[in-house]
Amino acid sequence: MSSIISALKRHARLQPHAHALQDENRSFSYEELARAVDRLASVLVRERIAVLGLMLDNGPAWVVADLAAITAGITLVPLPGFFSDTQLRHALTDAGVDAILTDQPLRFSVLGGIGPESTRLDVAGTALSVLRTQAAPRRLPVDVAKITYTSGTTGAPKGVCLSTAAMEAVAASL
């Protein structure tokens, strides 16, 4: 199990009511955060998602989705809101994204190859949609937890594959 997920579960057990996250509207305890992560991870597993695109603004729902993907062993592909339609299509195809979790489903309706909303969820107070794609599965390097894309200002965006171990090493060093 990921050391970040282990730490979250430990905090939820030892100090369940302590503040874990806060935005301008509300605060989330460690217990609430851990519960939300487990709930979303269960949905992602039930939906049989292998590579999940995530387009959300930074906030509690983004944190829950990121941690749920780690919990479920799903590769996460953060999709920047500033990407053009061409850049989005490229990232989705390049990474083999088979589903998108977003609060902006209409943004994807013009891309083609995106199915209708398959599931609607409330994650940390944010209404999210799961959209299925028709992207062909890709063989990714072993242990890829996240693929982040460059801005693509000099060409097509390039994906950087990150393992959980690499991300946790950086987090531990901080």
Side-chain angles (χ1 to χ4, degrees):
M1 176 185 291
S2 148
S3 63
I4 301 253
I5 300 303
S6 293
L8 173 60
K9 290 183 181 297
R10 185 173 56 254
H11 285 302
R13 189 178 67 253
L14 298 176
Q15 46 188 342
H17 304 295
H19 296 287
L21 289 175
Q22 184 174 333
D23 67 7
E24 61 278 354
N25 298 316
R26 74 176 267 218
S27 176
F28 298 85
S29 71
Y30 280 104
E31 182 178 54
E32 290 171 318
L33 177 58
R35 210 173 319 129
V37 167
D38 287 342
R39 260 195 316 269
L40 182 54
S42 294
V43 170
L44 299 176
V45 168
R46 186 176 64 244
E47 293 276 333
R48 297 179 184 198
I49 297 169
V51 181
L52 178 68
L54 178 64
M55 182 176 276
L56 286 173
D57 287 334
N58 289 335
W62 203 104
V63 173
V64 170
D66 189 26
L67 295 172
I70 293 169
T71 299
I74 293 170
T75 300
L76 186 71
V77 181
L79 299 167
F82 62 81
F83 266 18
S84 68
D85 291 350
T86 301
Q87 290 170 314
L88 279 176
R89 268 191 223 98
H90 171 76
L92 294 172
T93 303
D94 185 59
V97 170
D98 56 346
I100 301 162
L101 183 63
T102 186
D103 61 350
Q104 306 165 46
L106 293 178
R107 172 83 196 272
F108 294 92
S109 63
V110 298
L111 291 183
I114 308 291
E117 174 180 273
S118 68
T119 304
R120 190 131 174 99
L121 309 162
D122 179 285
V123 176
T126 301
L128 300 179
S129 299
V130 177
L131 308 172
R132 298 305 264 184
T133 75
Q134 297 171 359
R138 305 288 278 184
R139 280 195 60 139
L140 298 173
V142 177
D143 296 331
V144 173
K146 192 171 286 157
I147 303 173
T148 60
Y149 278 83
T150 62
S151 63
T153 54
T154 60
K158 292 178 181 51
V160 178
C161 296
L162 303 168
S163 69
T164 299
M167 291 186 289
E168 290 183 349
V170 171
S173 73
L174 297 173

